[in-house]
Amino acid sequence: MSVTRSDVEHAARLCRLEFSPDELETLRGELGRILEYVEKLRELDVTEVEPTLYGLAGSTPLREDVPGEDTLAREDALAGAPDEENGHFKVPGVL
Amino acid sequence: MKGFESVIGLEIHAQLLTRSKLFCGCGTGFGAEPNTQVCPVCLGLPGALPVLNRRAVELAVLVGEALHAHTNTSSVFARKNYFYPDLPKNYQISQFDRPLCSGGHLYVSDGGKRRRVRVTRVHLEEDAGKSVHLDDAGGRRTLVDFNRCGVPLIEIVTEPELRSPSEAHALLKALKQILEYTGASSGNMEEGGLRCDVNVSLRRVGERALGSKTEIKNLNSFRNVERALEYEIERQAGLLAGGTAVLNETLMWDAGRDRAVSMRSKEEAHDYRYFPEPDLLRLELKGDWIDDVKSRLPELPEARESRFVESLGLPPYDAAVLCGRRALADYFEEVARLTGEPKSASNWIMTEVLRTAKEGATDEFPVTAANLADLLTLVRSGRISGKMAKDVFARMAGTGETADDAVSRMGLRQVTDVREMRTIVDAVLSENPKSVADYARGKKKLFGFLMGRIMEKTAGQASPTLAESVLRERLEGVREGDANT
Ligand SMILES: [Zn+2]
């Protein structure tokens, strides 16, 4: 299965990644080889097999609905913000 | 619109009434200062891991069961990937191909018709933060508050089988009622407790295949849902009538300008690249756990409404109003139980109680169920008239007094004693000799005038039925007397 240059560009856009033309070409080859390998796996008949989604068995643990102590003070929450205004995280306008 | 029919599906998000968020212990209270209910998990800080809230699962299953859906004993969380400042992880934890509940239905009454509408699925997901977009002297910027980020939501998806904007409105109303009855969600659209996206397409009458559909987002009131659908149906009909195809696109409702605007039509907008959430395992639920949740389902609005009609003898309209909110239906049942008179309880609640409650604009009832029941009992025993009771009620609503206290403070009692009434009536008749004489000569409408004098004399405390029968007795006596002389 061949991957086109526009496939790579599309995936890059979705991931907000920027690549040089050389990098795009390298990725096109690498992604193509991954898909070839998946094609090979598809030769197996797995219609009767439940897909494996997790490396661990069992159900996800549950917690009680009790407000915990991990909530941060606002200064701490905002400490990692690129910028702040009025207690909010401030980012470049998106509208 | 001629020759076309509309096909509408809804996607409803409702906030679950939990104390803490879906995957972390941060609080969920509405109206907190920005960014004071956040932690490493809901801020998406590296290394933080989500742990699922048991109560959120219970509430979601409760809603699923109330919608007659099947609760899956194994469901899977998935990452929905997209970039937006209100989503710090750059993905939302949701459910995709293995939702918590599948299939189901609810009944929708619109224009006198009751229809069963199928529910595709009910799943759990986390809410995003809230962003405010500013463009002023401080520059063009977006401010984000992550208090809502990670708040538990259920998404309820209906099959595209609603036929009109008003039917969509009716479905939302019915669903809001179910959410409120189960206690899973407030269903309050203003505080973001309930949000709705709609998809709509038109097809020629008689055709089976669905036309291209558009999705409209950002609908935050029942009215907006109906209005946006009306707008969009009109727009699509115009396009199709002119031979133009409808584009599959996502629109944003602009309530201020009363129209839908196209969102940036990027093809990748819908490319969410879902995959199983590696930070959570499969959610496995045991059959008896599900049965236990199911056993906690309350009597649902529809069943309660028909019981009010069939067992308590209420008119269907009254039953529908009283069952509109669970608290109101509970209040009515309490008054009906205490008085043993469902009909008069309903009449009072439908008029005085709801009117006073509306004026006060609170959810609290102006008079407690026990106090209202006592008031109705006083009326029934004849101690006060129904007319007096309205004044007593108004006083009780203002002061919080019991019925007995209000009646005695107002110095009210009803004249129900025949001898006392005769004395009053005789006094009135002797004060109005001309009217009595005219009545005797055939001016029958003076009866009403004399009744009015009696009420005036007793300051409204005469029992009307007793006053009427004594007056009739006395007037007939007068006429007989005249005939004899
Ligand atoms: Zn948190």
Side-chain angles (χ1 to χ4, degrees):
Chain A
M1 187 169 178
S2 69
V3 174
T4 66
R5 197 184 164 93
S6 82
D7 289 336
V8 183
E9 282 169 347
H10 177 65
R13 250 196 321 274
L14 288 174
C15 302
R16 302 288 194 276
L17 293 173
E18 226 176 316
F19 295 112
S20 69
D22 281 356
E23 285 171 322
L24 279 178
E25 197 47 38
T26 309
L27 282 165
R28 195 179 69 83
E30 288 175 357
L31 289 172
R33 281 194 293 284
I34 291 169
L35 291 190
E36 267 166 38
Y37 180 61
V38 172
E39 279 301 303
K40 184 157 182 61
L41 291 176
R42 279 169 66 164
E43 288 167 18
L44 281 172
D45 178 9
V46 291
T47 43
E48 299 291 310
V49 184
E50 262 288 289
T52 302
L53 300 177
Y54 308 97
L56 291 168
S59 183
T60 200
L62 298 174
R63 41 170 275 274
E64 296 309 316
D65 181 28
V66 179
E69 289 151 15
D70 295 332
T71 297
L72 299 169
R74 182 151 80 184
E75 312 85 82
D76 295 336
L78 289 169
D83 202 351
E84 60 175 279
E85 182 178 329
N86 258 335
H88 290 78
F89 288 72
K90 179 171 156 186
V91 297
V94 293
L95 261 199
Chain B
M1 215 15 234
K2 264 222 173 86
F4 294 107
E5 61 183 3
S6 47
V7 183
I8 299 164
L10 302 183
E11 217 175 81
I12 298 116
H13 293 92
Q15 178 180 342
L16 294 173
L17 289 176
T18 56
R19 297 172 61 207
S20 64
K21 292 187 180 180
L22 187 54
F23 298 116
C24 64
C26 290
T28 54
F30 179 77
E33 284 291 301
N35 294 306
T36 54
Q37 295 178 337
V38 294
C39 75
V41 174
C42 55
L43 284 177
L45 300 188
L49 288 172
V51 187
L52 185 57
N53 183 333
R54 182 193 308 274
R55 181 73 183 144
V57 179
E58 281 171 15
L59 292 175
V61 169
L62 203 57
V63 173
E65 293 292 340
L67 294 171
H68 312 282
H70 171 74
T71 301
N72 296 309
T73 50
S74 175
S75 67
V76 170
F77 286 93
R79 286 190 182 179
K80 179 180 181 179
N81 300 280
Y82 65 94
F83 289 92
Y84 204 75
D86 62 12
L87 192 72
K89 298 194 296 295
N90 293 336
Y91 58 83
Q92 177 195 27
I93 304 179
S94 179
Q95 296 192 293
F96 185 51
D97 54 349
R98 288 156 191 254
L100 186 59
C101 306
S102 326
H105 63 264
L106 76 167
Y107 290 94
V108 174
S109 295
D110 177 45
K113 277 195 212 135
R114 180 170 174 272
R115 258 188 359 110
R116 185 177 139 129
V117 176
R118 283 177 301 158
V119 169
T120 317
R121 57 190 280 151
V122 177
H123 78 235
L124 270 170
E125 64 183 32
E126 56 178 346
D127 204 351
K130 201 180 103 192
S131 35
V132 187
H133 309 287
L134 297 176
D135 191 359
D136 54 27
R140 209 168 67 85
R141 62 212 189 275
T142 293
L143 303 182
V144 195
D145 170 10
F146 290 111
N147 283 349
R148 283 200 69 87
C149 193
V151 160
L153 302 178
I154 37 169
E155 178 174 319
I156 300 158
V157 183
T158 77
E159 290 290 315
E161 48 190 36
L162 292 159
R163 294 281 174 266
S164 67
S166 68
E167 204 173 52
H169 184 136
L171 183 134
L172 281 171
K173 224 175 104 188
L175 185 63
K176 179 186 161 136
Q177 252 183 320
I178 290 171
L179 291 171
E180 197 236 345
Y181 269 61
T182 53
S185 172
S186 70
N188 185 336
M189 275 191 132
E190 284 69 44
E191 293 183 0
L194 190 70
R195 278 169 282 164
C196 183
D197 299 340
V198 302
N199 55 70
V200 54
S201 65
L202 297 190
R203 67 177 165 202
R204 287 194 187 279
V205 173
E207 259 175 46
R208 298 199 59 185
L210 299 179
S212 299
K213 67 173 181 187
T214 54
E215 191 184 4
I216 312 173
K217 290 184 176 288
N218 197 30
L219 300 169
N220 56 8
S221 76
F222 286 13
R223 176 74 201 122
N224 277 351
V225 169
E226 205 171 344
R227 184 63 205 111
L229 282 168
E230 282 164 3
Y231 168 92
E232 181 57 14
I233 289 167
E234 186 92 29
R235 188 187 73 91
Q236 289 190 14
L239 287 176
L240 294 174
T244 315
V246 172
L247 291 178
N248 262 313
E249 62 180 337
T250 302
L251 306 166
M252 196 76 149
W253 181 247
D254 184 339
R257 289 188 292 165
D258 204 32
R259 65 196 187 94
V261 287
S262 184
M263 288 171 83
R264 288 166 303 165
S265 59
K266 279 187 177 171
E267 74 220 48
E268 56 260 41
H270 278 297
D271 201 341
Y272 293 125
R273 295 148 295 141
Y274 284 96
F275 63 87
E277 167 60 68
D279 288 343
L280 294 163
L281 294 175
R282 202 185 288 276
L283 173 61
E284 285 175 359
L285 300 175
K286 295 205 168 62
D288 41 351
W289 187 89
I290 297 172
D291 290 343
D292 182 50
V293 172
K294 214 193 273 188
S295 73
R296 281 179 264 151
L297 265 184
E299 185 184 27
L300 292 170
E302 265 228 328
R304 200 167 195 183
E305 210 174 302
S306 40
R307 181 167 60 79
F308 282 7
V309 173
E310 279 147 32
S311 313
L312 302 181
L314 298 192
Y317 175 79
D318 297 22
V321 172
L322 293 174
C323 290
R325 285 184 298 130
R326 185 179 176 179
L328 181 60
D330 288 346
Y331 180 82
F332 158 73
E333 284 218 73
E334 181 67 2
V335 179
R337 187 182 65 79
L338 291 169
T339 57
E341 293 193 347
K343 278 189 180 164
S344 81
S346 163
N347 288 340
W348 269 82
I349 294 169
M350 295 284 292
T351 53
E352 302 305 307
V353 175
L354 285 183
R355 186 187 311 132
T356 317
K358 208 173 276 171
E359 283 162 5
T362 86
D363 222 36
E364 288 276 301
F365 296 104
V367 165
T368 66
N371 283 349
L372 178 60
D374 287 343
L375 178 64
L376 300 197
T377 307
L378 287 181
V379 176
R380 192 189 180 191
S381 70
R383 266 193 64 201
I384 57 171
S385 69
K387 194 167 168 291
M388 286 178 202
K390 292 192 177 170
D391 296 333
V392 177
F393 178 86
R395 182 180 170 104
M396 290 166 73
T399 61
E401 285 167 355
T402 62
D404 279 327
D405 285 351
V407 166
S408 62
R409 293 259 161 75
M410 290 168 84
L412 290 181
R413 64 185 194 99
Q414 179 155 256
V415 177
T416 52
D417 180 83
V418 180
R419 270 178 301 176
E420 191 182 350
M421 186 64 79
R422 283 191 180 127
T423 315
I424 294 162
V425 171
D426 289 345
V428 167
L429 295 183
S430 63
E431 284 160 18
N432 295 278
K434 188 170 161 13
S435 299
V436 174
D438 287 348
Y439 179 86
R441 268 180 232 111
K443 287 186 81 175
K444 298 296 177 205
K445 65 179 178 193
L446 284 166
F447 191 86
F449 166 78
L450 291 166
M451 274 295 286
R453 293 283 88 78
I454 296 167
M455 286 302 174
E456 205 174 76
K457 201 168 187 67
T458 58
Q461 296 185 14
S463 152
T465 34
L466 183 64
E468 198 181 316
S469 80
V470 170
L471 180 62
R472 201 167 293 284
E473 168 198 304
R474 286 319 207 210
L475 286 174
E476 315 239 305
V478 167
R479 200 172 54 181
E480 273 166 32
D482 281 352
N484 287 343
T485 44

